[in-house]
Amino acid sequence: MYTSNPLTTLTISLEAIASNYRLIQQKGAGREVSAVVKANAYGLGMAEVAPALYKAGCRRFFVVSLDEALELRKILSDVFIGVFYGVNKAEEEYFVKYNLTPAISTHEQFKRWQEYAVKIGKKLPAILHFDTGMNRLGLNYKDAALYKDCDNLEIELVMSHLACADIENNEKNAEQLARFREIKDYFPNKKMSFANSSGVFISEDYHFDILRPGAALYGINPVLWQKNPMQNVVTLISEVLQIRKIDTAQTVGYGASCKLAAGSVIATIPAGYADGYLSYLGNKGYCFINGRKCNIAGRVSMDLITIDITEFAEEIAVGSKVELIGDNVTVDDVAKQAGTIGYEILTSLGSRYKRIYL
Ligand SMILES: *Cc1c(COP(=O)(O)O)cnc(C)c1O
C-alpha cells in the first residue's frame, strides 16, 4: 500500500479482534454473534477484518450502505449481509443479485421491497428495524402489528438499537427493552437482535437471539466505567523526527498557544490531524516515549505534533519510538483527551501511514 508517512506505523491485531469476538460469544452463552463492519470496519480495513472475523466463526455481518455491502460481498461470498440504510431508490436489483438483506426502517422501504418482490415473483429477505426510543431510524414500535404479516417478504430478523447502552444504569435501556419485548410478541417465531457492544454487557435480558457488536470487537471499552474487558487492537507508533532545546522562553506551533520556559526540550513527531490525530488533542493529549508519559505542547498540525520532553530529554533521541495509541494510551484514553468517543478516533485513523496486520 502507498504510504506517505513511513515513520508512523499503524498495527492492527486481527488476533485481538478474533479474541474479542470469542469473548462476546462467551458472554452470549451460545447465542449467535454477528459483526458490524460498517465504515470500513470502523476504519481498521474491511478487507482484512471481515475475513478474520469469518475465521473466528462469524457468518452474519452488518454494514450501512449498498456500497459497503458490495465491497463486503466481494470479500465474503457465503455470509449474511444486513444493510442498515435499507433498500433505497433504484437499489433493488443489486440487493437481489448480491443476496443482501435490507434493514427495512421506513414504510417507503417496506413498500418498495414488497413491490419488487411481487414484480420479480420471488419472496425477498428482509430485516425489520423498529425504533424503540432512539428516534433516529426505524419503523415506529407502535406499528409492529402492521408489519407482522408480510406475504412477499421473508423476515430474517427483527431488530432495534439502544440509545444509552454505554451509560451505566441508564433508565432508557429498560424502557427500550420493554418496547422491544412488545414487538417480539408480534413475531413469536422470528429471530430478534437488540444488543450492540455495550448492550451485550448490560445483562442477559438484552441478548435475545443475535448479538450485534461493532466497537468492542475493535477494542473499544463497552463498559467505560469499568476496566476494559476487551483486548487492545490498535497500536499507532511513530518516531521522533527532530529535537529542539530552547534557551529562552518560547511559544510552540500555530497560534503560539503554548509557551515553554527557557531550557525546555521539544520533540517533533511526524503525525497530525490528517493522520487522524485529532486537532482537539492540541495542548491536551499525551503519548508515551520510551515508556514515559509526555504531553502534547501546542496545537496539532496537519502532519506534525510537538511534545514537551523536557523531563526526559536525557533519554530521548531522534528516532525514539513514540506510542500515540497502544497499551499505555488506549483508543478510549485518546478519545477522552480529545473530548470525543473511541469510535471517532478509530474511524478518523488516516491512510498515510504504514499499516501492519497481525
Ligand atoms: C453501529 C451499529 C451497531 C454496533 O454498535 P457498537 O456500539 O459499535 O457495538 C449495531 N447496530 C446498529 C443499528 C448500528 O448502527
Side-chain angles (χ1 to χ4, degrees), residues 284-299:
K284 286 195 190 126
Y286 58 82
C287 59
F288 276 76
I289 310 182
N290 290 347
R292 305 292 200 177
K293 184 177 168 184
C294 304
N295 293 322
I296 310 293
R299 287 195 201 162

Side-chain angles (χ1 to χ4, degrees), residues 42 166 196-198 215 220 331 335 341-348:
Y42 290 49
D166 60 344
N196 66 334
S197 298
S198 294
I220 290 175
V331 172
I341 50 177
Y343 298 65
E344 191 175 14
I345 301 298
L346 289 189
T347 55
S348 301

Side-chain angles (χ1 to χ4, degrees), residues 2 13 53 68 76 104 109-111 123 126 134 161 176 190 203 209 222 230 275 280 307 312 332 341 345:
Y2 172 71
S13 172
L53 286 162
E68 291 182 353
L76 296 173
I104 301 294
Q109 290 178 343
F110 181 76
K111 267 176 49 194
K123 228 175 175 186
M134 183 109 174
H161 192 49
Q176 286 192 267
K190 298 299 177 193
S203 84
D209 302 305
M230 314 315 296
D275 302 299
Y280 313 112
I307 320 269
F312 312 111
D332 294 305
I341 50 177
I345 301 298

Side-chain angles (χ1 to χ4, degrees), residues 36 38 42 62 64 84 129 136 159-162 166 194-199 212-218 220 343:
V36 180
K38 62 192 178 187
Y42 290 49
F62 291 94
V64 150
F84 289 147
H129 176 190
R136 187 181 65 170
M159 63 173 270
S160 188
H161 192 49
L162 288 157
D166 60 344
F194 194 39
N196 66 334
S197 298
S198 294
R212 215 172 60 242
L217 297 172
Y218 313 118
I220 290 175
Y343 298 65

